[in-house]
Amino acid sequence: QVQLVESGGGLVQAGGSLRLSCAVSGRTFSSYAMGWFRQAPGKEREFVAAINWLGTITYYADSVKGRFTISRDNAKNTYLQMNSLKPEDTAVYYCAARATSGSYYYTTLNEYDDWGQGTQVTVSS
């Protein structure tokens, strides 16, 4: 099990950028895939982006493709660079981790074992 803490959320105007960070602590000697999800008010939590353990494979939801970039430094941090933000990107953003022995990435909530507490992103029009 690992502990995840997100940071970097805030209020930004449409067209602006934010960079979210996810700091990982705990059993970091284990390999793990990482993902970002978001949940808007009154909506279900949805997949945003994923990256494999090695950082060599990424995958994005269609709604953010070309605007968001997931990365990791393979130390203890994973990042989500968000550009060209839209009001519909407003949500609480969560990072998630899953221990894995392969070069896989995961896109559904139930595939992840550990979650952070979330960070609020608000995009004004």
Side-chain angles (χ1 to χ4, degrees):
Q1 186 177 9
V2 296
Q3 291 76 48
L4 310 175
V5 178
E6 303 95 336
S7 61
L11 174 64
V12 64
Q13 289 188 333
S17 299
L18 283 174
R19 189 192 195 207
L20 304 184
S21 298
C22 177
V24 183
S25 62
R27 293 183 58 191
T28 53
F29 61 86
S30 298
S31 61
Y32 47 89
M34 298 295 296
W36 285 95
F37 291 75
R38 66 186 181 186
Q39 188 166 17
K43 295 187 177 182
E44 295 185 349
R45 194 171 299 189
E46 64 176 7
F47 168 77
V48 175
I51 190 167
N52 68 338
W53 170 53
L54 295 172
T56 56
I57 302 173
T58 58
Y59 189 80
Y60 299 91
D62 287 342
S63 58
V64 307
K65 199 173 296 182
R67 300 187 297 120
F68 291 12
T69 302
I70 187 172
S71 63
R72 63 191 300 166
D73 58 19
N74 273 349
K76 296 182 179 181
N77 301 295
T78 300
Y79 307 96
L80 186 68
Q81 177 67 42
M82 305 186 296
N83 298 329
S84 302
L85 282 162
K86 305 175 182 179
E88 51 263 44
D89 294 319
T90 295
V92 177
Y93 283 71
Y94 300 88
C95 68
R98 168 176 171 145
T100 179
S101 60
S103 60
Y104 305 111
Y105 62 86
Y106 302 93
T107 62
T108 62
L109 278 73
N110 59 7
E111 291 179 302
Y112 285 90
D113 302 313
D114 301 291
W115 293 82
Q117 83 290 345
T119 185
Q120 176 70 47
V121 171
T122 303
V123 184
S124 63
S125 56

